């Protein structure tokens, strides 16, 4: 079996945020597979390289296609936004491997990491992930809203900084507002909230506010939301946006 499959993360947008290892895997591939807009980020091509673009909600079909090509001897790169292991294609590929033909388990499968959205968003404002943190997707396509609510409550009670992926969409425009309302029952209204749109893309939008004043309508699917902990701080700067950071040490009176 000579085929290979590499799952690569192309970062949040800017070409310079793609790692050299991910770029090398893309350049050496005979076939690129991915969601169309993510494939569009790959501007360099190799002679004879074939692109297989697909819709956003067919992750398992995309994974099976990639595995079948690799089984046939192709050098396949599955292109994912951000980091492929964070709410992205790496898990879909391994889910397909587990449920698929036994021969797929013998394939040479590698994961090349990328800059995920919460890291890119954090870097835009300072160091809000400097202490303990967790990431939760608000998408209920693959899990129930009841489960999401339970995880939000647990994260807030444990005083984690919380990174919210997939905060809202046209199909579920109210969930971010519901998430903020739930968090207000547990965390102080003064809790720092950061919303970064299109982090790492060259067209960044930043909002630094509080849990008591945050407006969910300012977010969209390209927004990463960070909910601070009791150790998250603002450093005021005259005429400029404040720096946001989270203390690495425990705060007296915190969770």
């Amino acid at each position: 079996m000579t085929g290979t499959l590499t799952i690569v993360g192309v970062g949040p947008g800017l070409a310079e945020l793609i790692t050299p290892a991910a770029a090398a895997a893309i350049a050496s591939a005979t076939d690129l597979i991915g969601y169309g807009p993510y494939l569009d980020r790959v501007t360099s091509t190799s002679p004879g390289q074939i692109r297989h673009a697909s819709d956003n909600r067919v992750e398992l079909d995309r994974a099976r296609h990639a595995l079948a090509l690799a089984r046939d001897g192709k050098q396949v790169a599955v292109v994912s936004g951000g980091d492929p292991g964070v709410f992205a294609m790496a898990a879909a590929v391994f889910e397909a491997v587990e449920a698929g033909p036994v021969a797929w388990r013998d394939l040479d499968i590698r994961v090349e990491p990328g800059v995920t959205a919460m890291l890119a968003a954090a870097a835009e404002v300072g160091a809000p992930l400097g202490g303990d943190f967790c990431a939760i997707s608000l998408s209920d396509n693959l899990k129930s809203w009841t489960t999401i609510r339970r995880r939000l409550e647990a994260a807030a009670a444990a005083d984690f900084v919380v990174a919210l992926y997939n905060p809202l969409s046209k199909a579920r425009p109210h969930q971010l507002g519901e998430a903020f309302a739930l968090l207000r029952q547990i965390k102080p209204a003064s809790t720092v909230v950061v919303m970064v749109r299109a982090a790492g893309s060259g067209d960044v939008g930043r909002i630094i506010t509080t849990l008591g004043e945050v407006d969910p309508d300012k977010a969209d699917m390209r927004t990463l939301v960070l909910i601070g902990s009791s150790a998250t701080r603002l450093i005021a700067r005259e005429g400029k946006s404040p720096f946001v950071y989270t203390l690495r040490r425990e705060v007296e009176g915190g969770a």
Side-chain angles (χ1 to χ4, degrees), residues 76-158:
V76 182
V78 176
V79 176
S80 184
D83 181 283
V86 180
F87 303 123
M89 279 303 300
V93 168
F94 290 114
E95 182 179 353
V97 169
E98 183 181 18
V102 174
W104 284 354
R105 302 185 181 204
D106 293 326
L107 285 167
D108 179 5
I109 302 175
R110 294 177 292 117
V111 179
E112 290 293 351
V115 179
T116 189
M118 66 179 174
L119 301 183
E124 296 286 354
V125 297
L129 303 180
D132 293 338
F133 64 88
C134 67
I136 298 174
S137 170
L138 293 191
S139 172
D140 58 2
N141 290 332
L142 300 174
K143 61 182 182 289
S144 70
W145 180 243
T146 299
T147 294
I148 295 169
R149 286 180 57 90
R150 185 174 71 248
R151 291 175 180 172
L152 285 170
E153 290 169 350

Side-chain angles (χ1 to χ4, degrees), residues 9-15 18 26 35-44 51 79-83 115 198-201 222:
V10 293
L14 292 175
I18 300 176
I26 289 169
Y35 175 44
Y38 295 152
L39 284 182
D40 291 341
R41 294 184 189 175
V42 179
T43 56
S44 59
R51 296 188 176 211
V79 176
S80 184
D83 181 283
V115 179
S201 71
R222 296 190 67 195

Side-chain angles (χ1 to χ4, degrees), residues 159 183-193 210-212 228-230:
D159 199 28
L183 292 171
R184 288 188 193 105
Q185 298 174 24
I186 305 170
K187 300 173 72 67
S190 59
T191 299
V192 176
V193 175
T210 64
L211 188 56
S229 72
S230 62

Side-chain angles (χ1 to χ4, degrees), residues 117 121 136-139 164-177 180 194-199 201 203-207 214-226:
I136 298 174
S137 170
L138 293 191
S139 172
L164 298 180
Y165 279 72
N166 306 312
L168 52 79
S169 69
K170 292 180 180 179
R172 44 184 182 80
H174 306 299
Q175 287 183 353
L176 181 59
F180 286 146
V194 175
M195 296 198 293
V196 182
R197 185 182 186 279
S201 71
D203 185 26
V204 183
R206 307 172 190 84
I207 296 174
V214 65
D215 181 358
D217 291 337
K218 299 295 185 180
D220 61 18
M221 278 298 286
R222 296 190 67 195
T223 302
L224 193 288
V225 180
L226 294 169

